[in-house]
């Protein structure tokens, strides 16, 4: 039986890396992002042709509970099941608490936390029925520790670990595991875009920005690779990982060891 996965926020960065990793293991994948189906078509087609799996695309907006539930239900209808759910979609905004726009707070909590609740709620009944499921929530080192000026992001990412633990307990006897992966900095387009601007603003080289600014908290001074996160997700989906549930697994180059 083929395993069917949904990865939210998978047209870019970590989510796209996860889609490659799971498809590389022969899983059918439903991709998701804000792009229109036409815009996402090259990404969908590449995954399908590279790995010979079925790749679908949903443009469900992770701020809309009904669209999230419909994405899960449509996937179940189209391919028969949702066995793996990776709640990965996320956004960031950086500002001191007094200046943090309420709308940004709402959007970050909505996309980074509430969407995981709605997708999980929609996927659990089918997983329970089949007696097998894997839910992976994309946390962050910020699920475990804080940084200034990231109130909404840190609150959402800490919230994800709470959701993970609770659903893990509720599904512990149903063959379902629920875990949070907590990466440190990953060089996605989102992070890459900040390097030249920071170098210019601070009058330092791009190498210095990476080492002394971005990777300041990351003892290895190396970015986490999307392939490394993909490999951990693949392991969590295996039967060897059946006893790992309710965990928050750091992959952060030693950040949270400090
Ligand atoms: P990214 O910006 O490269 O990708 C984000 C994805 O989410 C895109 O596919 C985008 O279309 C999608 N998305 C955004 N808003 C959406 C919405 N409303 N509905 C549906 N899809 C939406 O970001 P990334 O760096 O790959 O981050 C992915 C996840 O990993 C996030 O949850 C982020 O918090 C987490 N994370 C990132 C890092 C890092 O250093 N990049 C570190 C730790 C955790």
């Amino acid at each position: 039986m083929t395993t069917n996965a949904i990865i939210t926020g998978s047209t870019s960065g970590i989510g796209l890396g996860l889609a490659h990793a799971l498809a590389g293991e022969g899983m059918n994948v439903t991709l998701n992002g804000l792009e229109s189906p036409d815009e996402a078509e090259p990404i969908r087609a590449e995954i399908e042709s590279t790995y010979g799996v079925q790749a679908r695309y949903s443009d469900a907006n992770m701020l809309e509970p009904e669209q999230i539930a419909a994405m899960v239900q449509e996937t179940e209808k189209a391919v028969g099941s949702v066995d793996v759910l990776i709640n990965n979609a996320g956004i960031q905004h950086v500002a001191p608490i007094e200046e943090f726009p309420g709308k940004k707070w709402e959007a970050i909590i909505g996309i980074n936390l509430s969407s995981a609740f709605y997708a999980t709620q929609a996927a659990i009944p089918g997983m329970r029925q089949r007696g097998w499921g894997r839910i992976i929530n994309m946390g962050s080192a910020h699920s475990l520790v804080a940084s200034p000026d990231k109130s909404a992001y840190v609150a959402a990412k800490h919230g994800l670990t709470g959701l993970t633990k609770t659903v893990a307990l509720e599904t512990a006897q149903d063959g379902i595991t629920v875990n949070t992966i907590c990466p440190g900095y990953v060089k996605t387009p989102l992070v890459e875009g900040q390097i030249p601007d920071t170098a210019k603003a601070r009058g330092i080289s791009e190498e210095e920005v990476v080492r002394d600014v971005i990777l300041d908290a990351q003892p290895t001074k190396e970015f986490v690779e999307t392939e490394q996160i993909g490999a951990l997700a693949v392991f969590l989906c295996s039967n060897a990982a059946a006893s790992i549930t309710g965990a928050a697994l750091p992959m952060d180059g030693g950040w949270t060891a400090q």
Side-chain angles (χ1 to χ4, degrees):
M1 279 268 290
T2 310
T3 303
N4 300 307
I6 293 178
I7 305 128
T8 71
S10 47
T11 51
S12 160
I14 295 171
L16 182 56
L18 288 165
H20 278 275
L22 299 193
E25 292 296 306
M27 294 187 206
N28 293 326
V29 292
T30 294
L31 306 165
N32 160 256
L34 286 177
E35 291 78 1
S36 70
D38 279 353
E39 288 165 341
E41 179 54 20
I43 298 171
R44 190 207 64 77
E46 192 200 341
I47 296 226
E48 201 162 74
S49 64
T50 305
Y51 303 106
V53 299
Q54 195 176 335
R56 305 177 71 256
Y57 177 70
S58 163
D59 63 358
N61 186 333
M62 292 299 110
L63 280 169
E64 300 294 338
E66 282 169 16
Q67 293 184 26
I68 297 168
M71 173 184 70
V72 173
Q73 283 146 15
E74 282 160 15
T75 302
E76 279 179 336
K77 214 168 157 191
V79 293
S81 62
V82 174
D83 309 295
V84 173
L85 169 66
I86 305 191
N87 293 306
N88 168 78
I91 59 165
Q92 173 65 288
H93 184 78
V94 180
I97 187 73
E98 307 93 311
E99 293 160 26
F100 210 96
K103 287 222 170 331
K104 289 284 183 194
W105 168 275
E106 301 288 346
I108 289 175
I109 298 296
I111 296 169
N112 297 29
L113 177 59
S114 302
S115 74
F117 164 77
Y118 289 113
T120 299
Q121 194 173 53
I124 289 280
M127 290 180 177
R128 266 201 223 277
Q129 215 171 36
R130 291 181 296 276
W132 198 91
R134 293 288 184 265
I135 299 176
I136 299 172
N137 292 318
M138 192 50 60
S140 160
H142 285 119
S143 296
L144 305 168
V145 295
S147 298
D149 305 331
K150 296 186 176 176
S151 52
Y153 189 83
V154 172
K157 294 298 188 185
H158 274 64
L160 265 184
T161 64
L163 176 67
T164 296
K165 290 178 187 178
T166 306
V167 182
L169 295 181
E170 291 184 29
T171 58
Q173 295 179 24
D174 300 317
I176 300 168
T177 70
V178 191
N179 292 290
T180 309
I181 296 180
C182 303
Y185 278 106
V186 188
K187 206 170 180 185
T188 63
L190 196 89
V191 173
E192 271 171 344
Q194 297 168 24
I195 297 173
D197 292 347
T198 310
K200 218 186 226 172
R202 297 195 181 209
I204 56 178
S205 72
E206 294 195 8
E207 290 71 30
E208 285 168 320
V209 171
V210 169
R211 193 189 62 225
D212 300 334
V213 181
I214 297 179
L215 296 181
D216 183 39
Q218 210 149 293
T220 53
K221 303 296 175 196
E222 302 279 353
F223 283 104
V224 178
E225 306 285 339
T226 54
E227 291 79 6
Q228 295 167 348
I229 300 174
L232 179 55
V234 166
F235 175 67
L236 288 174
C237 291
S238 73
N239 287 328
S243 295
I244 303 178
T245 194
L249 300 163
M251 186 180 257
D252 62 7
W255 178 341
T256 55
Q258 299 169 100

